[in-house]
């Protein structure tokens, strides 16, 4: 059975990155951070927080003075899910086509090429 993609919007990514960096955070702290990072109004941040609660991405506990928000999803899980979803949607699941596209369109530094080579080499050895 295929895993359902988590599917965070760009707005939700901003909030999650902030909470992954450190949590819990109050709505006031998140509102201030989002205003500085994105220029969002207070109402925008509150709307995104509510939507993320409903999706099960974040939760809150009642703090001494305010709600304290924390992530329910781990960054690694979201990155894996989003990457798989992207690969399947855009490249029909073909990692080779993705890498080929990136290599043709960008000047990849030698260190990164070596890193890619080592990743593939390790993966091949693990299959043996």
């Amino acid at each position: 059975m295929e895993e359902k993609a988590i599917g965070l919007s760009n707005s939700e990514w901003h909030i999650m990155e902030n909470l992954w960096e450190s949590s819990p955070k109050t709505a006031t702290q998140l509102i201030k951070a989002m205003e500085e990072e994105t220029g969002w109004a207070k109402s925008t941040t509150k709307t995104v927080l509510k939507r993320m609660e409903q999706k099960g991405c974040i939760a809150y506990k009642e703090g001494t003075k305010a709600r304290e928000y924390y992530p329910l999803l781990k960054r690694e899980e979201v990155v894996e899910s989003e990457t798989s979803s992207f690969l399947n949607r855009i490249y029909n699941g073909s990692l080779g086509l993705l890498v080929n596209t990136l290599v043709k369109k960008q000047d990849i530094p030698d260190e990164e090429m070596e890193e890619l080579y080592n990743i593939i080499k390790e993966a091949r050895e693990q299959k043996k």
Side-chain angles (χ1 to χ4, degrees), residues 65-76:
K65 294 185 180 182
R67 289 179 175 177
E68 296 177 332
Y69 289 89
Y70 58 92
L72 293 175
L73 305 171
K74 292 185 175 141
R75 188 177 201 292
E76 301 77 29

Side-chain angles (χ1 to χ4, degrees), residues 3 13 15 24-25 29-30 51 55-57 70 73 80 87 95-96 101 110 116 119-121:
E3 269 187 48
W13 269 102
I15 300 276
K25 287 189 176 172
Q29 290 171 316
L30 289 166
R51 186 175 65 215
K55 284 175 76 172
C57 300
Y70 58 92
L73 305 171
E80 262 182 43
L87 187 63
L95 184 57
T101 301
D110 289 341
L116 283 171
I119 290 168
I120 292 167
K121 190 172 153 187

Side-chain angles (χ1 to χ4, degrees), residues 19-117:
L19 289 173
W20 285 324
E21 188 178 301
S22 71
S23 63
K25 287 189 176 172
T26 64
T28 303
Q29 290 171 316
L30 289 166
I31 288 165
K32 184 174 187 219
M34 292 304 103
E35 183 181 11
E36 289 172 4
E37 287 176 31
T38 65
W40 292 352
K42 178 180 180 178
S43 60
T44 303
T45 301
K46 285 187 168 192
T47 299
V48 175
L49 287 171
K50 185 172 183 163
R51 186 175 65 215
M52 292 176 73
E53 274 180 75
Q54 292 168 344
K55 284 175 76 172
C57 300
I58 63 171
Y60 66 85
K61 60 185 174 201
E62 292 296 341
T64 53
K65 294 185 180 182
R67 289 179 175 177
E68 296 177 332
Y69 289 89
Y70 58 92
L72 293 175
L73 305 171
K74 292 185 175 141
R75 188 177 201 292
E76 301 77 29
E77 292 169 351
V78 177
V79 168
E80 262 182 43
S81 174
E82 292 282 343
T83 302
S84 282
S85 174
F86 173 78
L87 187 63
N88 288 325
R89 271 190 348 261
I90 308 300
Y91 294 98
N92 202 24
S94 171
L95 184 57
L97 186 55
L98 167 66
V99 173
N100 190 41
T101 301
L102 293 172
V103 169
K104 284 184 177 179
K105 295 290 179 188
Q106 296 184 10
D107 184 25
I108 300 176
D110 289 341
E111 312 85 59
E112 287 188 28
M113 283 227 225
E114 190 65 29
E115 184 179 351
L116 283 171
Y117 175 76

